[in-house]
Amino acid sequence: MTDLDPLTSDWAPEQIEVMQRLRDWAIAFGELNQHLASWMDLPGSDALALGRIVFAAESGTPLSPAQLSRQIGMTSGATTVLLNRLETAGHIHRSRESSDRRRVTLRPTPAARERAGRFLTFAGTEIAATLRGAAPGELRGAADLLARMTAAATEATERLARQKRLPDASSSRGRTGS
């Protein structure tokens, strides 16, 4: 793969539009998370974690603390403190459901799931209407593009995690010194 400087590359207007819309979605999603935090009377990071725990459990793939840590970008120690707060507040419980008794599974409590569900029902009205109004082909195309974008971001994240530091600018391919 060749290095590509996204700040100086020529982009098609459609490519720029997609990146802007992805950025806008990320910002809007963050704002919705802040509303969830207020609704649940939680700090933003706790609401983000609770949302991830609820969605994972609902999809049948509950998270471990280590998986949650990676998803929310916190150290394992900070995640433990956050999980302790959520558990003390009655929002989650930790269980050992696997044959590997060392593996901890995070699940929302029924009360937290119900309260978060009420929020999503109220807050998700416009999003649900947009999804229901989209044509199947449009949804497949969007899902495919988003899956590829996610895979690319995941690949970049894994590459960056393996690399201790960014390469020196003078050693990057395609760039010349001034």
Side-chain angles (χ1 to χ4, degrees):
M1 174 184 287
T2 61
D3 288 344
L4 179 69
D5 185 341
L7 299 177
T8 60
S9 294
D10 289 327
W11 294 100
E14 298 84 359
Q15 293 168 322
I16 294 169
E17 181 75 13
V18 167
M19 289 304 295
Q20 288 173 337
R21 297 299 71 86
L22 287 169
R23 180 207 57 220
D24 293 347
W25 166 254
I27 291 168
F29 187 82
E31 290 170 345
L32 286 171
N33 188 69
Q34 290 305 312
H35 286 287
L36 174 63
S38 294
W39 180 276
M40 300 289 292
D41 197 26
L42 293 170
S45 58
D46 292 26
L48 176 63
L50 181 59
R52 298 287 174 98
I53 293 166
V54 169
F55 280 119
E58 289 295 312
S59 69
T61 55
L63 295 173
S64 70
Q67 290 168 317
L68 178 65
S69 240
R70 280 190 300 277
Q71 286 187 12
I72 63 175
M74 293 180 114
T75 65
S76 60
T79 301
T80 297
V81 171
L82 182 150
L83 292 172
N84 289 344
R85 282 194 308 265
L86 288 174
E87 195 167 40
T88 299
H91 294 302
I92 66 156
H93 60 86
R94 299 176 232 202
S95 59
R96 299 185 189 282
E97 302 169 12
S98 168
S99 58
D100 179 354
R101 301 301 295 163
R102 295 170 297 175
R103 180 169 159 71
V104 173
T105 301
L106 304 171
R107 295 215 181 254
T109 62
R113 171 59 189 97
E114 190 274 329
R115 190 164 182 201
R118 280 188 294 146
F119 172 80
L120 293 172
T121 299
F122 180 69
T125 301
E126 295 83 358
I127 295 169
T130 300
L131 286 170
R132 290 188 191 284
E138 183 181 15
L139 292 171
R140 280 191 299 277
D144 180 57
L145 178 61
L146 290 171
R148 288 184 287 139
M149 294 293 288
T150 301
T154 299
E155 184 179 335
T157 297
E158 291 168 355
R159 179 175 44 80
L160 290 167
R162 289 188 304 270
Q163 196 166 331
K164 297 292 185 219
R165 60 186 203 122
L166 291 175
D168 195 353
S170 63
S171 66
S172 291
R173 281 180 276 150
R175 293 195 186 147
T176 58
S178 350

